[in-house]
Amino acid sequence: MFLPTTQQELQELGWDCLDIILVSGDAYIDSPFIGTAVIGRVLADAGFRVGIIAQPDLQGEDICRLGEPKLFWGVSGGCVDSMVANRTASGKRRKQDDYTPGGKNSHRPDRAVLIYANLIRSKFKNTCPLVLGGIEASLRRIAHYDYWSNSVRRSILLDAKADFLLYGMAERAVLELATCLQEGDDPRILRGLCYPAPERPADSLKLPAFAEVSGSSPQAKKAFTRMFRRFYANNDPITAQPLAQLHGSRWLVQNPPQPHLSPEELDHVHSLDYQLDLHPYHQQQGDVRALETIRFSLATHRGCYGECNFCAIAVHQGRTIVQRRRKSIIAEARRFLKHPAFKGRIHDVGGPTANMYGVECRKKLNKGCCPDKRCLFPQKCQALPIDHGEQLRLLEELRQLKGVKQVVISSGIRYDLILADQKNGLTYLRQVVRHHVSGQMKVAPEHCQDTVLACMGKPGRASLLRFRDLFNRMSAQEGLKQFLTYYIIAAHPGCRQQDMQALKKFALKELQVLPRQVQIFTPTPSTWSTLMYWTGENPFTGQPCFVEKDNQARERQKAVLTGPAQRPQKGQGQNRSFAPKKGQKAGAGPRKKGRVTPRKKRG
């Protein structure tokens, strides 16, 4: 049974009112991959009466259709920041939305969190607390650079005039908040929560004030860098301290993060009664494309210690891998077998990075993330014990399930982790090549120039070429027509037009491919790369960093790879790097076309 989204469903349940109403910028897909559905299920499992209003009509009384909740309104922009969902890197309106019925981008407003919060306030005067959550609120919880207005904006909590903000993966935090409000207790002591206050808590670390960081002067940008550095350093639940930032006459207070869920707790979240479908309320409006990808996929873990500078996962999910137990993942796969729409194919087994499952640093688990170094960049930390054995065992068990015909890994794979695993790296890659690639395997080198890769926090080209050779050789040995798909970022801080030309030359000569999966860098809140974009300085070296800000020039960088197709030289493919035939040199030319599956949209 779905969570209710109409008055008719409330009547069928015999409920006269709800405890909590969740408002989302996505259609209501009941899946463990959809944040609003997860929060709703967790609250309902604890006994709270929860309803969902998904993509409310901004005109009329649609926001009123479930009445007014007793405890709080939960407001989220959806699985993607609404500005990213609605606008390209060049600011153009996107025509499609994978989380909207029918696929047309017509139901999610820009700055959805602010719009929904204002909509609720306009219809319900003096209502119960407004609580912000989801990726859009989480990454905008302090003063932040906003690419679309080219300015530093206040905390979204204050702009929305909301009462609380839950950041990160908030299953435990939302339960504690709901319990506090139900019992009449003060929730401002809860971890994982932000709130406005008239005074700064005595035990909090002071961030540079909004007035100090919001200008475009060199001094303001220096202050912005100090702010972000302190903010980033206080995102680990073991070591973080409370933070406070002055916005005018009010303080934005961020309590330390919630402790990571235990494997047992994460297992429980995934065991709840998800329908793995679009709510019937939306079905008459058309299909939702995202459902095709996530319905029969398995999330094995959350968190990522890759810490790519352009990625916000470290700030939202954390730098520590929190993984599920194998028996829980297998049990979820068995539930797929009972679903009438399941045809035998598991579309993905992974997380932010598929092959981080079962690989984590014991020191980090006990003492928190290191304050002065990263796990993988500029080279792998010796304290990180890399062994793909646990994932090998999981994949084997999944393959052996009766009724499962194919298990695909669609999540990105860190090839440097495979190469660093002296025990099971090659075995893992061979099993992936043999069983878990559906025509193509995506990898994300993002670039080839060392100066650009250093700004991105990505490994160098040598590991990519070594992995390419291994993949091609193993595919040929297995007699499989498979190829690598390379994901590239253009116009990242540090990247000039000549760097893209060098990338094109490298791709054609060394990869025997002209990558077409190219995106222009979008400065999203709360990443190091966005900090570089705004300040024009590399925060790790203190040196000036070239930033291309002209939209036409940024488009030209992308067009180096995606512009009018050039006839490839003999032995060169345009979009794919095929495994060679037996006895053929790796990269010596394309084989006959194999089956290609649609690429999964990058989050």
Side-chain angles (χ1 to χ4, degrees):
M1 180 181 295
F2 287 91
L3 298 173
T5 191
T6 64
Q7 272 293 335
Q8 181 180 343
E9 290 170 285
L10 293 185
Q11 293 170 8
E12 291 171 354
L13 290 167
W15 295 354
D16 56 351
C17 66
L18 293 164
D19 296 319
I20 298 152
I21 296 178
L22 304 178
V23 181
S24 173
D26 298 330
Y28 174 22
I29 304 172
D30 200 27
S31 163
F33 284 89
I34 303 297
T36 299
V38 170
I39 295 300
R41 287 292 176 188
V42 167
L43 287 165
D45 181 64
F48 295 99
R49 294 182 177 184
V50 185
I52 293 177
I53 300 177
Q55 297 188 325
D57 187 343
L58 303 182
Q59 308 299 321
E61 304 299 314
D62 192 33
I63 195 69
C64 305
R65 69 173 185 251
L66 295 180
E68 185 174 9
K70 290 182 178 179
L71 298 180
F72 68 85
W73 296 87
V75 179
S76 168
C79 291
V80 182
D81 184 296
S82 61
M83 296 305 295
V84 176
N86 289 346
R87 305 285 171 176
T88 68
S90 299
K92 298 176 183 177
R93 181 82 183 182
R94 296 187 192 273
K95 296 180 180 179
Q96 296 183 326
D97 188 333
D98 287 355
Y99 295 91
T100 294
K104 186 177 179 180
N105 185 16
S106 58
H107 287 64
R108 187 197 315 268
D110 288 351
R111 309 199 187 281
V113 170
L114 300 181
I115 296 296
Y116 294 154
N118 290 335
L119 182 64
I120 293 168
R121 292 287 192 202
S122 71
K123 299 297 182 180
F124 298 93
K125 306 299 181 183
N126 302 314
T127 189
C128 58
L130 262 63
V131 181
L132 311 184
I135 190 84
E136 184 169 339
S138 184
L139 300 185
R140 297 172 180 269
R141 59 190 186 261
I142 66 168
H144 55 280
Y145 173 70
D146 180 74
Y147 170 64
W148 292 271
S149 63
N150 192 33
S151 64
V152 176
R153 292 179 65 104
R154 300 195 308 165
S155 166
I156 196 171
L157 176 65
L158 299 177
D159 276 351
K161 297 182 175 64
D163 299 278
F164 305 108
L165 184 155
L166 297 177
Y167 65 90
M169 309 299 278
E171 295 96 342
R172 185 188 292 118
V174 77
L175 278 178
E176 292 181 357
L177 176 63
T179 301
C180 271
L181 294 176
Q182 186 178 55
E183 297 178 356
D185 295 332
D186 187 352
R188 289 178 295 179
I189 61 170
L190 299 180
R191 295 177 68 107
L193 179 136
C194 297
Y195 63 92
E199 297 180 353
R200 180 169 73 92
D203 62 343
S204 64
L205 293 176
K206 183 180 178 182
L207 297 176
F210 174 74
E212 188 179 353
V213 303
S214 58
S216 58
S217 67
Q219 294 79 9
K221 291 183 177 181
K222 291 286 186 184
F224 189 92
T225 298
R226 294 197 305 272
M227 175 202 72
F228 185 77
R229 195 180 298 279
R230 175 163 283 188
F231 166 73
Y232 193 89
N234 282 276
N235 272 284
D236 187 280
I238 297 177
T239 59
Q241 295 179 261
L243 300 176
Q245 184 176 45
L246 185 64
H247 289 65
S249 61
R250 306 178 77 195
W251 290 88
L252 179 282
V253 181
Q254 174 183 300
N255 291 342
Q258 281 276 346
H260 296 301
L261 296 185
S262 67
E264 293 79 10
E265 289 172 319
L266 188 55
D267 289 347
H268 181 69
V269 169
H270 283 267
S271 72
L272 300 176
D273 189 26
Y274 303 99
Q275 301 299 295
L276 306 183
D277 208 344
L278 180 66
H279 191 284
Y281 180 83
H282 301 286
Q283 289 179 8
Q284 59 187 344
Q285 304 167 40
D287 296 332
V288 173
R289 186 179 178 186
L291 183 60
E292 302 171 10
T293 304
I294 64 175
R295 174 182 265 171
F296 300 120
S297 293
L298 295 167
T300 59
H301 62 283
R302 61 175 54 163
C304 181
Y305 46 75
E307 291 192 78
C308 300
N309 289 334
F310 49 79
C311 181
I313 290 174
V315 171
H316 186 62
Q317 291 193 13
R319 290 174 279 172
T320 300
I321 299 300
V322 180
Q323 69 182 53
R324 299 168 62 189
R325 295 172 297 179
R326 280 206 317 275
K327 65 179 182 180
S328 166
I329 301 169
I330 299 299
E332 184 176 357
R334 291 186 189 279
R335 292 195 292 275
F336 290 170
L337 302 175
K338 301 177 182 178
H339 197 287
F342 184 65
K343 305 301 182 183
R345 187 173 190 264
I346 295 176
H347 293 264
D348 189 22
V349 181
T353 301
N355 59 325
M356 286 186 182
Y357 178 76
V359 181
E360 189 48 283
C361 172
R362 293 182 179 178
K363 179 181 177 181
K364 188 202 299 183
L365 294 174
N366 294 324
K367 297 183 178 181
C369 298
C370 295
D372 56 349
K373 63 179 179 179
R374 297 185 176 186
C375 297
L376 297 179
F377 185 83
Q379 59 269 327
K380 184 191 80 70
C381 176
Q382 294 301 312
L384 182 65
I386 300 178
D387 183 353
H388 289 78
E390 181 70 10
Q391 190 171 173
L392 280 167
R393 289 185 284 273
L394 170 63
L395 293 171
E396 182 178 4
E397 286 190 45
L398 289 171
R399 293 197 303 268
Q400 292 175 352
L401 288 177
K402 187 176 181 180
V404 172
K405 300 175 183 178
Q406 185 182 27
V407 181
V408 178
I409 298 178
S410 300
S411 297
I413 288 179
R414 287 282 301 221
Y415 46 83
D416 52 342
L417 281 178
I418 294 176
L419 299 176
D421 183 356
Q422 300 297 316
K423 183 178 180 181
N424 282 308
L426 294 180
T427 302
Y428 173 76
L429 180 56
R430 184 166 297 278
Q431 292 302 306
V432 169
V433 166
R434 181 179 295 167
H435 298 293
H436 305 294
V437 177
S438 183
Q440 61 181 330
M441 177 179 178
K442 67 179 183 181
V443 292
E446 309 296 4
H447 216 282
C448 74
Q449 294 294 88
D450 288 341
T451 53
V452 180
L453 291 170
C455 290
M456 293 178 168
K458 296 286 289 186
R461 67 175 75 177
S463 57
L464 171 64
L465 294 175
R466 183 182 168 199
F467 176 79
R468 187 277 315 271
D469 291 344
L470 286 170
F471 177 86
N472 284 350
R473 183 169 70 247
M474 289 183 181
S475 293
Q477 291 169 351
E478 299 294 331
L480 297 171
K481 299 176 181 179
Q482 300 180 153
F483 59 92
L484 295 174
T485 297
Y486 303 95
Y487 287 80
I488 303 297
I489 296 179
H492 186 277
C495 182
R496 301 173 184 267
Q497 185 77 6
Q498 55 263 39
D499 293 311
M500 294 303 295
Q501 295 287 354
L503 172 58
K504 179 180 180 178
K505 183 178 179 180
F506 167 80
L508 290 174
K509 179 180 179 181
E510 301 292 344
L511 301 179
Q512 299 284 316
V513 56
L514 190 60
R516 298 294 191 181
Q517 306 295 348
V518 185
Q519 67 178 27
I520 298 174
F521 168 69
T522 302
T524 53
S526 297
T527 71
W528 289 106
S529 294
T530 297
L531 177 66
M532 295 183 210
Y533 182 91
W534 173 235
T535 64
E537 182 179 284
N538 187 323
F540 306 106
T541 65
Q543 298 300 311
C545 175
F546 172 78
V547 177
E548 184 57 80
K549 294 190 176 183
D550 180 79
N551 278 337
Q552 291 185 347
R554 283 155 59 83
E555 291 283 357
R556 285 196 295 271
Q557 285 202 23
K558 178 181 178 180
V560 171
L561 297 181
T562 63
Q566 300 177 8
R567 182 179 297 276
Q569 299 175 12
K570 185 177 181 180
Q572 290 180 339
Q574 277 197 315
N575 290 300
R576 53 195 70 178
S577 177
F578 285 93
K581 297 178 181 179
K582 290 185 178 180
Q584 184 182 29
K585 183 179 178 182
R591 299 176 65 184
K592 193 174 180 179
K593 286 186 178 181
R595 178 172 176 267
V596 182
T597 57
R599 80 176 181 96
K600 186 176 178 182
K601 183 179 178 181
R602 287 206 291 185

